[in-house]
Amino acid sequence: MQETKHSSEKVVSLLKKFSPQQVFIQAIPGKTLADSQLIDGVLVKGTSITMTNTKTASSIQDVLKIALINDGIERVRSKTKHTAELETPEQLVQWKHDEEMVFKKQATAIHETGAQVVFATGKVHELVAHYLSNLNIACLSFVAKQDLQRLAIVTGAAIVAYSSDLEEKHLGRASSVTVENIDHVNYTRVSRAQGEQVKSSFLLLRGTTPSQCEEYERHINDALFSVASLIRTPKLLPGGAAVELE
């Protein structure tokens, strides 16, 4: 009964400010429903993170600048196949140097836009991540496209197709970017910048088992749309044979 009351209060508090489409739910097993919480921002699950001086940067500046890339950051591949014939060790050294310079230019171009944290849906090459780290830019790769869209809503950033398309006007804002370990899994929390228009809410839903989390998430979604419909049209028809009993 206590858990039902707790979840009901969360649904009502959410619908006072947002429509069901503006509520993001992330279900993570390991605790009870009472441990669920509303987050002023978004949680992102990624496979690799290069956290540099984001905490220091956020304490110096009012906001962090966020870049969203719907692709990886790797070596630009040509449309045609080609073969490089290297005859001397010096040529091999020069070839490796030229390749490193390509990655360095990619990192430098991102730095020149003013970005401080980069989220990409694809792979970020190790050398690119290295140069970004040297420039005090945090980078998270293999971000789910759904999470990238959520980040765009929370930060106000525009999603670009390629890193070469990134410009200062595409950057979003966040008050902080931190890594949190939730049940042995790393998540990146992106907190909404102060003064940013609140367009969504994020519910971290907890349950003891994965199947219970799925059940809770389904019930919360049903409740959100049911209550939203009742608010929009304040008419209620009892079901479950209640009409026949009356």
PDB file of all heavy atoms in Angstrom, residues 80-110:
ATOM      1  N   THR A  80      36.527   4.940 -52.111  1.00  0.00           N
ATOM      2  CA  THR A  80      37.220   3.937 -52.915  1.00  0.00           C
ATOM      3  C   THR A  80      38.359   3.318 -52.114  1.00  0.00           C
ATOM      4  O   THR A  80      38.955   3.961 -51.248  1.00  0.00           O
ATOM      5  CB  THR A  80      37.792   4.574 -54.198  1.00  0.00           C
ATOM      6  OG1 THR A  80      38.678   5.642 -53.832  1.00  0.00           O
ATOM      7  CG2 THR A  80      36.673   5.141 -55.058  1.00  0.00           C
ATOM      8  N   LYS A  81      38.664   2.070 -52.387  1.00  0.00           N
ATOM      9  CA  LYS A  81      39.750   1.393 -51.698  1.00  0.00           C
ATOM     10  C   LYS A  81      41.090   1.819 -52.300  1.00  0.00           C
ATOM     11  O   LYS A  81      41.207   2.044 -53.505  1.00  0.00           O
ATOM     12  CB  LYS A  81      39.583  -0.121 -51.814  1.00  0.00           C
ATOM     13  CG  LYS A  81      38.384  -0.665 -51.071  1.00  0.00           C
ATOM     14  CD  LYS A  81      38.324  -2.173 -51.163  1.00  0.00           C
ATOM     15  CE  LYS A  81      37.138  -2.723 -50.388  1.00  0.00           C
ATOM     16  NZ  LYS A  81      37.064  -4.208 -50.463  1.00  0.00           N
ATOM     17  N   HIS A  82      42.099   1.909 -51.457  1.00  0.00           N
ATOM     18  CA  HIS A  82      43.425   2.246 -51.953  1.00  0.00           C
ATOM     19  C   HIS A  82      44.470   1.527 -51.107  1.00  0.00           C
ATOM     20  O   HIS A  82      44.208   1.129 -49.970  1.00  0.00           O
ATOM     21  CB  HIS A  82      43.665   3.762 -51.911  1.00  0.00           C
ATOM     22  CG  HIS A  82      43.624   4.337 -50.531  1.00  0.00           C
ATOM     23  ND1 HIS A  82      42.450   4.667 -49.897  1.00  0.00           N
ATOM     24  CD2 HIS A  82      44.630   4.623 -49.644  1.00  0.00           C
ATOM     25  CE1 HIS A  82      42.715   5.145 -48.698  1.00  0.00           C
ATOM     26  NE2 HIS A  82      44.024   5.118 -48.510  1.00  0.00           N
ATOM     27  N   THR A  83      45.638   1.377 -51.651  1.00  0.00           N
ATOM     28  CA  THR A  83      46.722   0.680 -50.982  1.00  0.00           C
ATOM     29  C   THR A  83      47.920   1.603 -50.838  1.00  0.00           C
ATOM     30  O   THR A  83      48.313   2.282 -51.805  1.00  0.00           O
ATOM     31  CB  THR A  83      47.153  -0.574 -51.775  1.00  0.00           C
ATOM     32  OG1 THR A  83      46.016  -1.422 -51.942  1.00  0.00           O
ATOM     33  CG2 THR A  83      48.248  -1.327 -51.046  1.00  0.00           C
ATOM     34  N   ALA A  84      48.480   1.650 -49.649  1.00  0.00           N
ATOM     35  CA  ALA A  84      49.668   2.478 -49.407  1.00  0.00           C
ATOM     36  C   ALA A  84      50.901   1.584 -49.422  1.00  0.00           C
ATOM     37  O   ALA A  84      51.000   0.628 -48.656  1.00  0.00           O
ATOM     38  CB  ALA A  84      49.541   3.187 -48.060  1.00  0.00           C
ATOM     39  N   GLU A  85      51.836   1.895 -50.318  1.00  0.00           N
ATOM     40  CA  GLU A  85      53.067   1.119 -50.415  1.00  0.00           C
ATOM     41  C   GLU A  85      54.180   1.871 -49.695  1.00  0.00           C
ATOM     42  O   GLU A  85      54.599   2.944 -50.102  1.00  0.00           O
ATOM     43  CB  GLU A  85      53.432   0.900 -51.885  1.00  0.00           C
ATOM     44  CG  GLU A  85      52.405   0.044 -52.638  1.00  0.00           C
ATOM     45  CD  GLU A  85      52.828  -0.207 -54.067  1.00  0.00           C
ATOM     46  OE1 GLU A  85      53.896   0.326 -54.479  1.00  0.00           O
ATOM     47  OE2 GLU A  85      52.108  -0.915 -54.785  1.00  0.00           O
ATOM     48  N   LEU A  86      54.645   1.287 -48.603  1.00  0.00           N
ATOM     49  CA  LEU A  86      55.689   1.892 -47.779  1.00  0.00           C
ATOM     50  C   LEU A  86      56.960   1.075 -47.949  1.00  0.00           C
ATOM     51  O   LEU A  86      56.998  -0.121 -47.637  1.00  0.00           O
ATOM     52  CB  LEU A  86      55.255   1.935 -46.313  1.00  0.00           C
ATOM     53  CG  LEU A  86      53.889   2.583 -46.034  1.00  0.00           C
ATOM     54  CD1 LEU A  86      53.531   2.473 -44.558  1.00  0.00           C
ATOM     55  CD2 LEU A  86      53.910   4.050 -46.460  1.00  0.00           C
ATOM     56  N   GLU A  87      58.002   1.742 -48.444  1.00  0.00           N
ATOM     57  CA  GLU A  87      59.246   1.030 -48.762  1.00  0.00           C
ATOM     58  C   GLU A  87      60.330   1.227 -47.713  1.00  0.00           C
ATOM     59  O   GLU A  87      61.248   0.421 -47.617  1.00  0.00           O
ATOM     60  CB  GLU A  87      59.759   1.480 -50.133  1.00  0.00           C
ATOM     61  CG  GLU A  87      58.781   1.172 -51.261  1.00  0.00           C
ATOM     62  CD  GLU A  87      59.293   1.673 -52.596  1.00  0.00           C
ATOM     63  OE1 GLU A  87      60.320   2.392 -52.590  1.00  0.00           O
ATOM     64  OE2 GLU A  87      58.677   1.360 -53.629  1.00  0.00           O
ATOM     65  N   THR A  88      60.246   2.284 -46.920  1.00  0.00           N
ATOM     66  CA  THR A  88      61.295   2.558 -45.940  1.00  0.00           C
ATOM     67  C   THR A  88      60.663   2.815 -44.570  1.00  0.00           C
ATOM     68  O   THR A  88      59.483   3.185 -44.477  1.00  0.00           O
ATOM     69  CB  THR A  88      62.114   3.793 -46.342  1.00  0.00           C
ATOM     70  OG1 THR A  88      61.263   4.949 -46.346  1.00  0.00           O
ATOM     71  CG2 THR A  88      62.735   3.602 -47.728  1.00  0.00           C
ATOM     72  N   PRO A  89      61.411   2.635 -43.485  1.00  0.00           N
ATOM     73  CA  PRO A  89      60.906   2.935 -42.143  1.00  0.00           C
ATOM     74  C   PRO A  89      60.490   4.391 -41.988  1.00  0.00           C
ATOM     75  O   PRO A  89      59.536   4.702 -41.267  1.00  0.00           O
ATOM     76  CB  PRO A  89      62.090   2.603 -41.231  1.00  0.00           C
ATOM     77  CG  PRO A  89      62.901   1.627 -42.001  1.00  0.00           C
ATOM     78  CD  PRO A  89      62.748   2.022 -43.435  1.00  0.00           C
ATOM     79  N   GLU A  90      61.191   5.271 -42.690  1.00  0.00           N
ATOM     80  CA  GLU A  90      60.861   6.700 -42.603  1.00  0.00           C
ATOM     81  C   GLU A  90      59.470   6.970 -43.160  1.00  0.00           C
ATOM     82  O   GLU A  90      58.722   7.799 -42.635  1.00  0.00           O
ATOM     83  CB  GLU A  90      61.907   7.537 -43.363  1.00  0.00           C
ATOM     84  CG  GLU A  90      63.283   7.599 -42.718  1.00  0.00           C
ATOM     85  CD  GLU A  90      64.071   6.315 -42.922  1.00  0.00           C
ATOM     86  OE1 GLU A  90      63.660   5.494 -43.791  1.00  0.00           O
ATOM     87  OE2 GLU A  90      65.074   6.119 -42.205  1.00  0.00           O
ATOM     88  N   GLN A  91      59.107   6.273 -44.222  1.00  0.00           N
ATOM     89  CA  GLN A  91      57.775   6.439 -44.810  1.00  0.00           C
ATOM     90  C   GLN A  91      56.689   5.958 -43.848  1.00  0.00           C
ATOM     91  O   GLN A  91      55.617   6.552 -43.758  1.00  0.00           O
ATOM     92  CB  GLN A  91      57.685   5.679 -46.137  1.00  0.00           C
ATOM     93  CG  GLN A  91      58.503   6.290 -47.272  1.00  0.00           C
ATOM     94  CD  GLN A  91      58.402   5.477 -48.545  1.00  0.00           C
ATOM     95  OE1 GLN A  91      58.083   4.288 -48.518  1.00  0.00           O
ATOM     96  NE2 GLN A  91      58.698   6.116 -49.679  1.00  0.00           N
ATOM     97  N   LEU A  92      56.970   4.877 -43.120  1.00  0.00           N
ATOM     98  CA  LEU A  92      56.020   4.365 -42.137  1.00  0.00           C
ATOM     99  C   LEU A  92      55.829   5.361 -41.007  1.00  0.00           C
ATOM    100  O   LEU A  92      54.685   5.616 -40.571  1.00  0.00           O
ATOM    101  CB  LEU A  92      56.514   3.030 -41.574  1.00  0.00           C
ATOM    102  CG  LEU A  92      55.661   2.403 -40.462  1.00  0.00           C
ATOM    103  CD1 LEU A  92      54.244   2.120 -40.969  1.00  0.00           C
ATOM    104  CD2 LEU A  92      56.309   1.126 -39.946  1.00  0.00           C
ATOM    105  N   VAL A  93      56.931   5.947 -40.537  1.00  0.00           N
ATOM    106  CA  VAL A  93      56.850   6.947 -39.471  1.00  0.00           C
ATOM    107  C   VAL A  93      56.055   8.158 -39.942  1.00  0.00           C
ATOM    108  O   VAL A  93      55.203   8.687 -39.212  1.00  0.00           O
ATOM    109  CB  VAL A  93      58.266   7.366 -39.018  1.00  0.00           C
ATOM    110  CG1 VAL A  93      58.185   8.555 -38.059  1.00  0.00           C
ATOM    111  CG2 VAL A  93      58.978   6.199 -38.357  1.00  0.00           C
ATOM    112  N   GLN A  94      56.298   8.593 -41.180  1.00  0.00           N
ATOM    113  CA  GLN A  94      55.579   9.752 -41.731  1.00  0.00           C
ATOM    114  C   GLN A  94      54.096   9.458 -41.900  1.00  0.00           C
ATOM    115  O   GLN A  94      53.239  10.298 -41.622  1.00  0.00           O
ATOM    116  CB  GLN A  94      56.201  10.152 -43.074  1.00  0.00           C
ATOM    117  CG  GLN A  94      55.606  11.405 -43.701  1.00  0.00           C
ATOM    118  CD  GLN A  94      55.801  12.628 -42.847  1.00  0.00           C
ATOM    119  OE1 GLN A  94      56.884  12.829 -42.271  1.00  0.00           O
ATOM    120  NE2 GLN A  94      54.779  13.464 -42.732  1.00  0.00           N
ATOM    121  N   TRP A  95      53.794   8.222 -42.331  1.00  0.00           N
ATOM    122  CA  TRP A  95      52.390   7.834 -42.519  1.00  0.00           C
ATOM    123  C   TRP A  95      51.640   7.848 -41.194  1.00  0.00           C
ATOM    124  O   TRP A  95      50.514   8.339 -41.100  1.00  0.00           O
ATOM    125  CB  TRP A  95      52.342   6.451 -43.158  1.00  0.00           C
ATOM    126  CG  TRP A  95      50.945   5.949 -43.392  1.00  0.00           C
ATOM    127  CD1 TRP A  95      50.095   6.295 -44.402  1.00  0.00           C
ATOM    128  CD2 TRP A  95      50.239   5.009 -42.570  1.00  0.00           C
ATOM    129  NE1 TRP A  95      48.902   5.631 -44.276  1.00  0.00           N
ATOM    130  CE2 TRP A  95      48.959   4.835 -43.162  1.00  0.00           C
ATOM    131  CE3 TRP A  95      50.562   4.296 -41.424  1.00  0.00           C
ATOM    132  CZ2 TRP A  95      48.012   3.978 -42.622  1.00  0.00           C
ATOM    133  CZ3 TRP A  95      49.614   3.436 -40.875  1.00  0.00           C
ATOM    134  CH2 TRP A  95      48.357   3.289 -41.474  1.00  0.00           C
ATOM    135  N   LYS A  96      52.282   7.317 -40.133  1.00  0.00           N
ATOM    136  CA  LYS A  96      51.662   7.312 -38.816  1.00  0.00           C
ATOM    137  C   LYS A  96      51.495   8.735 -38.295  1.00  0.00           C
ATOM    138  O   LYS A  96      50.478   9.063 -37.662  1.00  0.00           O
ATOM    139  CB  LYS A  96      52.505   6.488 -37.838  1.00  0.00           C
ATOM    140  CG  LYS A  96      52.497   4.988 -38.134  1.00  0.00           C
ATOM    141  CD  LYS A  96      53.297   4.211 -37.107  1.00  0.00           C
ATOM    142  CE  LYS A  96      52.657   4.288 -35.740  1.00  0.00           C
ATOM    143  NZ  LYS A  96      53.390   3.476 -34.739  1.00  0.00           N
ATOM    144  N   HIS A  97      52.481   9.580 -38.555  1.00  0.00           N
ATOM    145  CA  HIS A  97      52.402  10.982 -38.108  1.00  0.00           C
ATOM    146  C   HIS A  97      51.251  11.699 -38.797  1.00  0.00           C
ATOM    147  O   HIS A  97      50.491  12.452 -38.167  1.00  0.00           O
ATOM    148  CB  HIS A  97      53.730  11.686 -38.406  1.00  0.00           C
ATOM    149  CG  HIS A  97      53.719  13.141 -38.057  1.00  0.00           C
ATOM    150  ND1 HIS A  97      53.403  14.127 -38.983  1.00  0.00           N
ATOM    151  CD2 HIS A  97      53.954  13.792 -36.872  1.00  0.00           C
ATOM    152  CE1 HIS A  97      53.450  15.307 -38.398  1.00  0.00           C
ATOM    153  NE2 HIS A  97      53.793  15.137 -37.131  1.00  0.00           N
ATOM    154  N   ASP A  98      51.111  11.484 -40.109  1.00  0.00           N
ATOM    155  CA  ASP A  98      50.032  12.133 -40.863  1.00  0.00           C
ATOM    156  C   ASP A  98      48.661  11.687 -40.350  1.00  0.00           C
ATOM    157  O   ASP A  98      47.719  12.489 -40.262  1.00  0.00           O
ATOM    158  CB  ASP A  98      50.155  11.806 -42.357  1.00  0.00           C
ATOM    159  CG  ASP A  98      51.387  12.444 -42.989  1.00  0.00           C
ATOM    160  OD1 ASP A  98      51.937  13.386 -42.373  1.00  0.00           O
ATOM    161  OD2 ASP A  98      51.807  11.992 -44.074  1.00  0.00           O
ATOM    162  N   GLU A  99      48.547  10.388 -40.006  1.00  0.00           N
ATOM    163  CA  GLU A  99      47.277   9.875 -39.494  1.00  0.00           C
ATOM    164  C   GLU A  99      46.955  10.501 -38.137  1.00  0.00           C
ATOM    165  O   GLU A  99      45.805  10.860 -37.863  1.00  0.00           O
ATOM    166  CB  GLU A  99      47.331   8.355 -39.379  1.00  0.00           C
ATOM    167  CG  GLU A  99      45.977   7.731 -39.044  1.00  0.00           C
ATOM    168  CD  GLU A  99      46.024   6.223 -39.053  1.00  0.00           C
ATOM    169  OE1 GLU A  99      47.009   5.681 -38.495  1.00  0.00           O
ATOM    170  OE2 GLU A  99      45.106   5.587 -39.594  1.00  0.00           O
ATOM    171  N   GLU A 100      47.950  10.641 -37.281  1.00  0.00           N
ATOM    172  CA  GLU A 100      47.744  11.261 -35.975  1.00  0.00           C
ATOM    173  C   GLU A 100      47.315  12.712 -36.122  1.00  0.00           C
ATOM    174  O   GLU A 100      46.491  13.208 -35.351  1.00  0.00           O
ATOM    175  CB  GLU A 100      49.026  11.169 -35.143  1.00  0.00           C
ATOM    176  CG  GLU A 100      49.332   9.775 -34.649  1.00  0.00           C
ATOM    177  CD  GLU A 100      50.590   9.734 -33.808  1.00  0.00           C
ATOM    178  OE1 GLU A 100      51.130  10.821 -33.493  1.00  0.00           O
ATOM    179  OE2 GLU A 100      51.048   8.628 -33.462  1.00  0.00           O
ATOM    180  N   MET A 101      47.865  13.391 -37.107  1.00  0.00           N
ATOM    181  CA  MET A 101      47.510  14.794 -37.331  1.00  0.00           C
ATOM    182  C   MET A 101      46.041  14.938 -37.742  1.00  0.00           C
ATOM    183  O   MET A 101      45.382  15.925 -37.401  1.00  0.00           O
ATOM    184  CB  MET A 101      48.417  15.410 -38.408  1.00  0.00           C
ATOM    185  CG  MET A 101      49.844  15.658 -37.957  1.00  0.00           C
ATOM    186  SD  MET A 101      49.950  16.767 -36.510  1.00  0.00           S
ATOM    187  CE  MET A 101      50.182  15.589 -35.175  1.00  0.00           C
ATOM    188  N   VAL A 102      45.516  13.927 -38.469  1.00  0.00           N
ATOM    189  CA  VAL A 102      44.100  13.957 -38.855  1.00  0.00           C
ATOM    190  C   VAL A 102      43.223  13.908 -37.615  1.00  0.00           C
ATOM    191  O   VAL A 102      42.258  14.676 -37.476  1.00  0.00           O
ATOM    192  CB  VAL A 102      43.776  12.777 -39.802  1.00  0.00           C
ATOM    193  CG1 VAL A 102      42.262  12.676 -40.028  1.00  0.00           C
ATOM    194  CG2 VAL A 102      44.487  12.951 -41.129  1.00  0.00           C
ATOM    195  N   PHE A 103      43.552  13.018 -36.679  1.00  0.00           N
ATOM    196  CA  PHE A 103      42.780  12.903 -35.440  1.00  0.00           C
ATOM    197  C   PHE A 103      42.927  14.151 -34.580  1.00  0.00           C
ATOM    198  O   PHE A 103      41.969  14.601 -33.943  1.00  0.00           O
ATOM    199  CB  PHE A 103      43.232  11.669 -34.657  1.00  0.00           C
ATOM    200  CG  PHE A 103      42.949  10.372 -35.354  1.00  0.00           C
ATOM    201  CD1 PHE A 103      43.947   9.423 -35.501  1.00  0.00           C
ATOM    202  CD2 PHE A 103      41.687  10.107 -35.863  1.00  0.00           C
ATOM    203  CE1 PHE A 103      43.687   8.232 -36.144  1.00  0.00           C
ATOM    204  CE2 PHE A 103      41.420   8.906 -36.507  1.00  0.00           C
ATOM    205  CZ  PHE A 103      42.425   7.964 -36.649  1.00  0.00           C
ATOM    206  N   LYS A 104      44.134  14.706 -34.565  1.00  0.00           N
ATOM    207  CA  LYS A 104      44.372  15.920 -33.774  1.00  0.00           C
ATOM    208  C   LYS A 104      43.551  17.085 -34.316  1.00  0.00           C
ATOM    209  O   LYS A 104      42.997  17.888 -33.561  1.00  0.00           O
ATOM    210  CB  LYS A 104      45.854  16.271 -33.780  1.00  0.00           C
ATOM    211  CG  LYS A 104      46.206  17.414 -32.840  1.00  0.00           C
ATOM    212  CD  LYS A 104      47.706  17.621 -32.761  1.00  0.00           C
ATOM    213  CE  LYS A 104      48.049  18.734 -31.761  1.00  0.00           C
ATOM    214  NZ  LYS A 104      49.518  18.928 -31.658  1.00  0.00           N
ATOM    215  N   LYS A 105      43.452  17.186 -35.656  1.00  0.00           N
ATOM    216  CA  LYS A 105      42.659  18.253 -36.271  1.00  0.00           C
ATOM    217  C   LYS A 105      41.183  18.100 -35.927  1.00  0.00           C
ATOM    218  O   LYS A 105      40.484  19.097 -35.704  1.00  0.00           O
ATOM    219  CB  LYS A 105      42.848  18.242 -37.788  1.00  0.00           C
ATOM    220  CG  LYS A 105      44.201  18.778 -38.253  1.00  0.00           C
ATOM    221  CD  LYS A 105      44.311  18.746 -39.767  1.00  0.00           C
ATOM    222  CE  LYS A 105      45.664  19.283 -40.234  1.00  0.00           C
ATOM    223  NZ  LYS A 105      45.793  19.219 -41.716  1.00  0.00           N
ATOM    224  N   GLN A 106      40.691  16.847 -35.864  1.00  0.00           N
ATOM    225  CA  GLN A 106      39.298  16.612 -35.500  1.00  0.00           C
ATOM    226  C   GLN A 106      39.033  17.087 -34.072  1.00  0.00           C
ATOM    227  O   GLN A 106      38.021  17.742 -33.805  1.00  0.00           O
ATOM    228  CB  GLN A 106      38.961  15.126 -35.629  1.00  0.00           C
ATOM    229  CG  GLN A 106      38.837  14.632 -37.058  1.00  0.00           C
ATOM    230  CD  GLN A 106      38.530  13.152 -37.128  1.00  0.00           C
ATOM    231  OE1 GLN A 106      39.203  12.330 -36.510  1.00  0.00           O
ATOM    232  NE2 GLN A 106      37.505  12.790 -37.879  1.00  0.00           N
ATOM    233  N   ALA A 107      39.941  16.760 -33.148  1.00  0.00           N
ATOM    234  CA  ALA A 107      39.785  17.187 -31.762  1.00  0.00           C
ATOM    235  C   ALA A 107      39.895  18.701 -31.636  1.00  0.00           C
ATOM    236  O   ALA A 107      39.130  19.330 -30.893  1.00  0.00           O
ATOM    237  CB  ALA A 107      40.835  16.501 -30.888  1.00  0.00           C
ATOM    238  N   THR A 108      40.828  19.287 -32.374  1.00  0.00           N
ATOM    239  CA  THR A 108      41.017  20.741 -32.324  1.00  0.00           C
ATOM    240  C   THR A 108      39.792  21.476 -32.856  1.00  0.00           C
ATOM    241  O   THR A 108      39.382  22.500 -32.310  1.00  0.00           O
ATOM    242  CB  THR A 108      42.255  21.146 -33.135  1.00  0.00           C
ATOM    243  OG1 THR A 108      43.407  20.457 -32.620  1.00  0.00           O
ATOM    244  CG2 THR A 108      42.501  22.640 -33.044  1.00  0.00           C
ATOM    245  N   ALA A 109      39.191  20.936 -33.927  1.00  0.00           N
ATOM    246  CA  ALA A 109      38.000  21.558 -34.509  1.00  0.00           C
ATOM    247  C   ALA A 109      36.847  21.552 -33.501  1.00  0.00           C
ATOM    248  O   ALA A 109      36.092  22.528 -33.400  1.00  0.00           O
ATOM    249  CB  ALA A 109      37.590  20.825 -35.778  1.00  0.00           C
ATOM    250  N   ILE A 110      36.701  20.457 -32.745  1.00  0.00           N
ATOM    251  CA  ILE A 110      35.661  20.392 -31.712  1.00  0.00           C
ATOM    252  C   ILE A 110      35.959  21.400 -30.606  1.00  0.00           C
ATOM    253  O   ILE A 110      35.068  22.093 -30.113  1.00  0.00           O
ATOM    254  CB  ILE A 110      35.566  18.959 -31.140  1.00  0.00           C
ATOM    255  CG1 ILE A 110      35.048  18.003 -32.212  1.00  0.00           C
ATOM    256  CG2 ILE A 110      34.654  18.923 -29.916  1.00  0.00           C
ATOM    257  CD1 ILE A 110      35.069  16.548 -31.793  1.00  0.00           C
TER     258      ILE A 110
END
